[in-house]
Amino acid sequence: MNNSPTVLEINLSSIEHNLNFFRSELNPETKVLAVVKASGYGSDPILMAKALEKLQVDYFAVAYADEGIALRNSGITTPILVLHPQLQNLEIISQNNLEPNLYSKRMLNEFLKLANILGLKNYPVHIKFNTGLNRLGFDTSDIDYVCEKLKEQNVVHVKSIFSHLVASEDEEEKEFSLGQIEKFKSICSTFSSRMGYNPIRHMSNTSGILNYPETHFDMVRLGLGLYGFTNLTEKNSNLKNVLTLKTVISQIHDIKKGESVGYNRGFHAERNMKTATLPLGHADGFFRSLGNGKTYVSINNKKSPVIGNVCMDMIMIDVTDIPCKEGDEVIIFNSREDILQMADHSDSISYEILTAWGNRIKRVLK
Ligand SMILES: *Cc1c(COP(=O)(O)O)cnc(C)c1O
């Protein structure tokens, strides 16, 4: 059992609020796939998936097979797309009723081979096309190859066909994004006319939902937005922060002017002061780059800077002017502003701050 005093709280009513906001941006018939990869963006994949299943999302996506298996083992029955399957996991993917993204000739052929051996019938699979990200997916010129392979068989059935936007959050790349959308539409219509059926089409992540309504197609893939973040400030006010990270003060020190605090004497006291030591460090996801005054935490709504170097298991903060005692609660973040400033000051993005927190930190629902 994890009895850590450092707790990441997940606010379910904020998740519901954010999901409803995105639903209000979609046509009622457009499906929602909730992306719960990377431990549900660092929260808790099982708590998240259970909550989202109750809220009747249509699909889940995870990055890797193990993440999908954990969801199945917890009783999740909603379809699960595995975005980035690996060859050696194709068999357990099918055994756990997970749906692979077949993104390359190698993956497609291996899965067809396996499906034949296992005697599968119309097993649901997904085909991804690369329209510019150059990360995963068939080249658009492979469409003939894909249709040929899929035509004369009934071991698999293409549930969906999809692609991913390169810069959905970037207004300056609008022309490139529109080009991707055109490529995707053309691939989808070629597929449908060759194969004689219409798989679910999807292209949009969180920013795509807001910036390119024409990419909603039949389903959208919503990840970061569930946690209250988008790149559009005017839309942000419609969303609520979901995650709160809090801990408690382990120890308070009185530091005399001239003394130092932390490894390598990273901080020098220029006055007599009071410091508090907190039980989380860089091994827990508190980036070392956020030490030495780069960020703050809060005690009773008062901001306290992190001083000295971040240790593996601890940080020290300046509480000279904040009434507090050992055992008091400390908020590491509880708002989008807190999370965004941590991202800004560590040369990072909200995605990385959310997913950084290690498994020594306890997850609880609020
Ligand atoms: C992670 C991921 C998403 C979700 O993106 P957000 O920006 O978090 O909404 C969607 N599609 C794919 C392919 C992804 O890898």
Side-chain angles (χ1 to χ4, degrees):
M1 199 187 110
N2 184 343
N3 205 22
S4 159
T6 308
V7 173
L8 188 67
E9 282 182 357
I10 308 164
N11 187 322
L12 281 191
S13 64
S14 297
I15 296 269
E16 180 170 8
H17 172 94
N18 295 340
L19 176 62
N20 287 339
F21 167 73
F22 283 98
R23 279 181 164 151
S24 75
E25 296 278 310
L26 303 173
N27 288 325
E29 64 275 17
T30 305
K31 294 181 194 310
V32 175
L33 173 153
V35 183
V36 292
K37 63 189 179 190
S39 295
Y41 286 53
S43 63
D44 181 299
I46 297 186
L47 296 177
M48 276 299 290
K50 286 191 168 165
L52 290 164
E53 186 165 79
K54 274 210 191 91
L55 296 168
Q56 298 181 329
V57 298
D58 301 279
Y59 246 95
F60 286 118
V62 293
Y64 299 109
D66 287 355
E67 298 178 304
I69 292 167
L71 296 187
R72 283 283 177 257
N73 289 344
S74 77
I76 293 292
T77 57
T78 302
I80 302 171
L81 162 57
V82 181
L83 292 166
H84 194 178
Q86 308 291 317
L87 221 49
Q88 66 268 32
N89 292 329
L90 290 179
E91 187 159 0
I92 51 167
I93 282 177
S94 70
Q95 285 161 351
N96 284 275
N97 193 19
L98 303 171
E99 305 180 5
N101 166 21
L102 304 178
Y103 49 84
S104 64
K105 292 180 178 174
R106 175 170 166 257
M107 278 292 156
L108 175 61
N109 289 322
E110 288 298 321
F111 196 77
L112 285 172
K113 214 192 297 172
L114 178 74
N116 271 306
I117 294 169
L118 298 176
L120 303 180
K121 286 274 166 302
N122 292 322
Y123 194 86
V125 300
H126 304 259
I127 306 282
K128 187 173 199 180
F129 281 93
N130 171 22
T131 53
L133 184 56
N134 292 326
R135 190 173 71 172
L136 279 188
F138 281 98
D139 196 274
T140 50
S141 65
D142 291 331
I143 182 72
D144 291 335
Y145 178 93
V146 170
C147 291
E148 275 316 300
K149 283 278 163 190
L150 291 168
K151 198 101 206 213
E152 307 299 335
Q153 59 81 40
N154 64 355
V155 291
V156 305
H157 178 79
V158 178
K159 275 285 282 292
S160 90
I161 174 165
F162 71 112
S163 190
H164 199 41
L165 292 163
V166 169
S168 57
E169 73 283 9
D170 190 349
E171 179 68 23
E172 305 219 321
E173 294 294 353
K174 183 153 196 167
E175 213 177 298
F176 189 86
S177 300
L178 295 176
Q180 283 194 278
I181 297 166
E182 283 318 303
K183 277 188 189 163
F184 182 62
K185 280 186 178 159
S186 142
I187 285 290
C188 291
S189 65
T190 308
F191 185 95
S192 296
S193 65
R194 297 271 169 86
M195 302 299 294
Y197 64 95
N198 301 319
I200 298 169
R201 297 162 300 161
H202 50 113
M203 188 176 208
S204 187
N205 69 333
T206 295
S207 296
I209 295 172
L210 301 174
N211 296 342
Y212 296 98
E214 65 270 47
T215 62
H216 294 177
F217 296 107
D218 306 308
M219 182 159 81
V220 296
R221 301 189 301 269
L222 178 60
L224 188 72
L226 286 170
Y227 300 91
F229 292 89
T230 78
N231 66 312
L232 295 176
T233 8
E234 75 274 20
K235 296 281 182 185
N236 278 349
S237 61
N238 294 301
L239 296 172
K240 290 186 176 165
N241 182 52
V242 168
L243 300 176
T244 295
L245 182 61
K246 47 167 80 163
T247 189
V248 296
I249 297 174
S250 297
Q251 190 176 14
I252 290 185
H253 291 279
D254 289 307
I255 307 288
K256 298 233 159 47
K257 182 178 173 181
E259 287 186 332
S260 63
V261 177
Y263 280 132
N264 302 100
R265 310 195 67 198
F267 179 81
H268 288 270
E270 283 170 5
R271 54 173 179 158
N272 291 342
M273 57 189 293
K274 205 166 62 149
T275 66
T277 302
L278 308 181
L280 88 165
H282 59 74
D284 299 295
F286 198 102
F287 297 157
R288 200 166 175 281
S289 56
L290 287 171
N292 296 305
K294 289 281 175 51
T295 193
Y296 59 82
V297 299
S298 311
I299 300 171
N300 290 324
N301 288 320
K302 294 204 175 68
K303 287 182 179 160
S304 160
V306 174
I307 59 174
N309 290 311
V310 172
C311 312
M312 187 181 289
D313 316 304
M314 283 167 264
I315 52 177
M316 279 73 90
I317 59 174
D318 177 1
V319 294
T320 310
D321 302 314
I322 303 176
C324 60
K325 58 184 190 312
E326 293 172 356
D328 280 1
E329 181 177 276
V330 180
I331 302 291
I332 310 299
F333 57 73
N334 68 355
S335 68
R336 286 177 307 188
E337 294 67 38
D338 291 345
I339 293 167
L340 289 173
Q341 70 81 26
M342 286 176 88
D344 280 350
H345 292 118
S346 56
D347 191 19
S348 186
I349 53 176
S350 52
Y351 293 88
E352 194 183 15
I353 301 295
L354 294 182
T355 54
W357 307 104
N359 54 17
R360 295 198 298 195
I361 294 171
K362 186 165 147 186
R363 269 69 175 171
V364 298
L365 289 181
K366 201 170 98 183

